[in-house]
Amino acid sequence: MFRLEAQVEFLLTCDRLKAVTRTTLLHSGERAENSAEHSWHLALMALTLGEYALPGTNLSRVVELLILHDLVEVHAGDVHFDQSEAGQEQQARREAEAAAWLFGQLPPDQRDIFGAAWQEFEARQSPEARFARALHTLLPMLLTWGPGAVGSAAHPELTFQRVQALKQPALAEFPELWELVRQTAARAVTEGIMPG
């Protein structure tokens, strides 16, 4: 019974993900998305855009990585993708502590499996982790500047050049997705929702 109780405690703790507000607005612009919505949307992206992954990529594993990677935000919170290097390092430390705490609630075998998946995403070494990271990088772009989006008035520093520089490292390996970013940014500039 201890095993089931630990699993239930973990699941109820993860319910807090619904209350973590992200910096990205919904596509409609009506409010910020929460991290649970973000995770669901990423898993759906993996299923929908899987054909753009590298040949041989295990899409089930990509979905696992996407479902697990932001769970640490129940403890560490979310930060904007244009965070300073110092801010990124501080967030990485908070997330590593949160991962140890959160996955530590699980029975040891699941703790190790979930922790390894979280580490895999962070390390970006496997094809699955790189594709998951690419989708994670693409989603805010589409919500903020995709067709029908309202832009990001709260972040005027996100110019065409800045956005491309931030997105390129994760997306260049996936030519169709990288071209989508470039076209989306160019259209956003033309529509006046992204500074040139």
Side-chain angles (χ1 to χ4, degrees):
M1 193 59 159
F2 169 77
R3 181 178 179 85
L4 180 58
E5 289 172 354
Q7 291 165 327
V8 168
E9 180 181 352
F10 169 79
L11 291 170
L12 293 177
T13 299
C14 291
D15 185 66
R16 294 189 223 162
L17 200 63
K18 298 171 187 173
V20 177
T21 302
R22 297 184 62 83
T23 58
T24 303
L25 297 178
L26 297 177
H27 185 254
S28 65
E30 66 188 82
R31 66 171 174 81
E33 70 175 342
N34 68 51
S35 287
E37 293 167 329
H38 171 75
S39 292
W40 160 80
H41 212 169
L42 286 169
L44 183 60
M45 284 182 78
L47 297 175
T48 306
L49 302 178
E51 66 193 80
Y52 304 104
L54 298 175
T57 299
N58 179 341
L59 292 178
S60 294
R61 182 62 173 176
V62 173
V63 171
E64 289 173 16
L65 298 177
L66 290 169
I67 292 294
L68 293 173
H69 90 278
D70 275 331
L71 287 178
V72 298
E73 291 181 5
V74 301
H75 186 64
D78 179 51
V79 296
H80 192 264
F81 69 86
D82 192 17
Q83 185 71 250
S84 69
E85 190 173 326
Q88 289 176 15
E89 290 171 5
Q90 184 179 24
Q91 181 68 6
R93 282 192 299 276
R94 282 195 305 263
E95 289 183 358
E97 292 168 4
W101 165 76
L102 180 64
F103 301 136
Q105 294 180 348
L106 288 164
D109 60 321
Q110 287 183 315
R111 175 199 65 214
D112 294 345
I113 291 168
F114 285 26
W118 184 82
Q119 289 287 351
E120 180 180 343
F121 180 91
E122 292 301 312
R124 304 175 204 166
Q125 297 297 313
S126 69
E128 290 76 16
R130 291 194 308 276
F131 188 61
R133 176 63 69 169
L135 296 177
H136 189 261
T137 302
L138 178 61
L139 180 56
M141 177 90 190
L142 296 177
L143 293 179
T144 305
W145 296 289
V150 298
S152 180
H155 297 281
E157 73 281 4
L158 293 174
T159 64
F160 179 83
Q161 291 80 15
R162 180 73 181 142
V163 167
Q164 287 201 100
L166 290 167
K167 302 295 183 179
Q168 191 271 342
L171 286 156
E173 184 176 10
F174 307 96
E176 295 91 349
L177 300 182
W178 175 234
E179 183 57 27
L180 175 62
V181 164
R182 293 170 51 80
Q183 290 175 7
T184 299
R187 184 175 49 248
V189 170
T190 301
E191 293 175 358
I193 60 172
M194 178 189 287

